[in-house]
Amino acid sequence: MGGTQPENPYTTRLRRMLRVRQVLAAGLVVAAVAVAGGYFWGRRQRASEARAHPAPKPALVGLKIEQTAGGVTISKSENGRPVFRVFAQRADKMRQGARDLLHQVRILVYDEDGVHADEISGEDFGYNDASGELSAQGNVHITLQARPGSRGQTGAPMDITARDLSYNVKLGTGTIAQGIEFSMGGAKGSAGSATLDSHGGRAAFAGGIALRWNRTGRPDLLLHSQTAWIEREAGASDAAKVHLEGDVHLEQDPESLRAASMDLRVRSDQTLSDFRATGDVAASESRADGMINAQAQQVHATFADDGYQTLSGLELSGGVKASVKAPEGDRSLAAGQMRFEVDADGNLQRLIASQNARLDLAGAEPAMLAAPELDFTFARADNSAGTTVPRLSEIASAAGRAHVQRGTDEAEADKATIELDARQQPSRVRAQGNVDAREQAGSLRSGSLDLRFATAAGSSRALLATAVAHGHVQLAQGGRHLSADAVNYDARSGTAVCTGHVVAGDASTRLSAPALTFFSAPDGNERMTVLDGVSVSMLAGAGAGNAALPSANARQPVAVSAKAMTWSGRSKGAQKANGVAVFTGGVRVMQAPNLLRADSLRVDADRQQLLAEGHVLTSTQQSKGQGAVTVVAARLEYEAAIREAVYTGRVTMQQGSSRLEAPRLEVYLRPGGLERAVASQGVRLDQPRRRGTAETVDYEFGTGQIRMSGGTPSILDAEQGKISGDPLTFSIASDEIQVGSKTGVRATGRTIVHK
C-alpha cells in the first residue's frame, strides 16, 4: 500500500517523534561523549568520529505503509536511499482525549549514507494530537550508531535508556523525570532527570550525573557532578557546549580533578576545543615517588584541531599553587596566574608564573625564589624509559625585584636567571641590577653577578665553580670589606681577581690599588697580591701600624705606598691572624710627622716585626728644640715587642748639625719617640768644630748625652785639640768632655785642625 497523504495520522506522529530523536541525540549523545572525554589532562587520544546531531529531515512525503499480521510498518525512501522505518505491533486510536497509542515500537532513522541508522524503541508511546504531548511511561531505549568521521575512524554505538519521557512536539520541549542511563563502549553513565529544548538545541540534566569509563589497560575514568547542560553551538550543528556544576569531580587513578563548575566546547568530531574549570579547582596525582597537587580558582585549556586533542594552551589563575611531595624534599610554586605555552606537538615549552610568583624547595637546605613574575623554560630530553619528556632548563624573573634564599643565604636583584643541567642542578645563575647578596659570613653588592656551577665526580650536587661581579662591587666578610669595579672569582683555585679602583681593609686598615689578586685555600691560608701601585693606611693602635716605624707614635695613623705588595695570612680558626705584608718598589711609610722609605718592606703583624731593605731612610721628629732624627742605611730590622730598631750597612744618623756614621746602629724607642741609639763596629761622629771616632757610640736622645767607648775613642775639638780616653763622655749642648772618670782639662791656646 502506498500514497502521498500528508494528513495521514501516522505521518504526523512520525514527524513529531523524529523531532524527539533530534533532541535526544543533541542532548544525551553529546553529553555522554563530551563528559567522557572531559578529563583531558595529559591524555591525547583520537576522539570518536561519530556524528552526534544529524541535520533535520525533510517533510515526510512518499510514505509506504504496510499492514501485516506482525503489525504496522511505515517507511520512506528517497532515490532508493532509506530515510526511516517505523515498526509497531499495534496502533490504537483512543476514543477519549484524542489520544493515540503505538505498542512495541521500533524506529530506525538512517544517516545520509542510507546504511547507518539510529534506533528508538519502547513498549508504549502515547500521543495527544490536540496538545502535541508525546509520552512514554515506561522505558525508552535509544541506540545511536557511530558514523565514520572525516578521518575514517568509527566509534562505538551509544545506548540510552530514559524513563517517563514527556515531550511536547508543538513547543519542542520535554522532560525525562525518572532518570537516564547511557553506555558507549566501556563508558556507562546516569543522570537523575533531564529537561529538553529542541528548538534551542539545549538539554539540561539534574539529580546527580555519574559516569564510569572502563578502558582496556588503563584505570577507569569517573565523573560526578550535581547538574549539567549541553547546548548546540550556533552555526555548527554538530558542535556543542557542555557545562557541569556542583562539586564536579573527575578521577582517573592516580589522578583527580575537582571544581565548582566546568565548561567544555566540543567539536563536531567530539574532540575538545576548549575547557574551563572554575571555583576551588584542585588537581592531584599520586605517584610512587610522591604526590603532585595543584589548586586555583580558574583553569582554562585549549586544544588543537588535529584529531589527537593536543593541548595548545593552558592558563591557571586565582591563588594558583602547585606542589610536589618527594623523598628528596617537597617543592611548590605559587602565583596569582600561571600560563603554559606548548609547541605544535603539545610539548611544554614555557611556564609563566605572574602576580607575585614564589618557588619553594624543601630539604636539608631549603631554598626559595620569588619575583613578581617567573618564567620557566623547558627543553626536550629523553628519560630512562627512552620517552621524550620536557625538562626544565631555565628559570628567569621577567619583571620586578627577584628574591632568592637558600638556607641562611639571601640575594636580591632586579632580574635573575637560573640555568639548569640535565640533572636539574643549577649550571649558571645570573643576576642583574642592584644585586644584593647576604650570607652568614658576609655580603655582596654589585651591578651584576654571574655564577657558574659544576658537579664533581660521584656527587649529585652542583658546587660553585666561578663567580664574576661587575659594577660598583662591594664585598664584606666578618670585619673585612672590599670594593672594586669588577671581581672575578675561581672557586677551584680559590683565586679572586679584583680590578678597577680596588679598596680593601677592615676596621683598622685600608688598602687601595688599581688591581688586586686574592687567594684563599680550604685550610684557611690566604694570600693577596698587588702588582701596580698600592696604598695602605692603618689607624692608630693597629698591630701592623705599631710595627711600621721604629719611631712609631701610637696616636697617629700609618700610611704605606709602594709599587707592589704581597700579603699572606690565615683567617680560619678562633683567632684571626694579621699575616705578613711585603711591599716592593719605592716603598714610602708615613706616620706624621715621621717617615720611612726603602726599596722593600716586610711587615709581620703577628710577630710585630719589620724588615726594610735597600736605600732605607727614616725620619723621626723628636720633641721641640731637638729637631728630626734621620737615619740612612741599607737595612732596617725592627721588633716592636722590645722597641728595638737595628740599622745595618753604611748607616748614617743625623740630628740637626750632628752626624753619625757606623756599620751598625741600634735604636731603642720609648712611647712617643726615641730613647737611645747605640752605634758600633767603628763609629765616626761629626759636629760643628768637633769630630770623634770610637768603636761604639751610645747616645741618649732625651739628655743629649754621648758616650764613646772601645777602640781608643778620640775627639778632635777645634778649641780643645785632640782628646783621647776610654770612655769619652760629653753633651751636644755643652763643650765639656769627660775622659774616663776625670774631667778633661781645657787646653790652653788655640788648636787649629787642618783638613
Side-chain angles (χ1 to χ4, degrees), residues 500-538:
H501 303 93
V502 181
V503 176
D506 53 27
S508 60
T509 305
R510 182 181 185 274
L511 178 150
S512 61
L516 178 152
T517 300
F518 184 84
F519 168 80
S520 178
D523 61 1
N525 288 320
E526 298 175 336
R527 185 172 67 251
M528 181 171 59
T529 303
V530 180
L531 299 178
D532 189 18
V534 60
S535 176
V536 178
S537 61
M538 292 166 281

Side-chain angles (χ1 to χ4, degrees), residues 128-141:
N128 189 314
D129 187 59
S131 64
E133 289 289 339
L134 178 69
S135 63
Q137 296 299 319
N139 290 341
V140 176
H141 186 75

Side-chain angles (χ1 to χ4, degrees), residues 202-225:
R202 179 185 175 97
F205 303 88
I209 294 96
L211 171 73
R212 177 182 289 272
W213 187 4
N214 183 278
R215 295 170 294 174
T216 304
R218 296 165 63 183
D220 289 355
L221 172 64
L222 305 177
L223 179 145
H224 297 276
S225 70

Side-chain angles (χ1 to χ4, degrees), residues 2 55 57 61 118 165 237 292 364 430 451 486 508 515 529 578 600 613 650 675 714 742:
K57 300 292 188 262
V61 294
D118 295 334
L165 169 67
S237 60
I292 300 176
R430 289 171 291 167
L451 307 177
S508 60
T529 303
N578 292 307
S600 66
E613 295 182 294
R650 299 181 61 84
E675 179 180 10
S714 64
K742 300 179 180 179

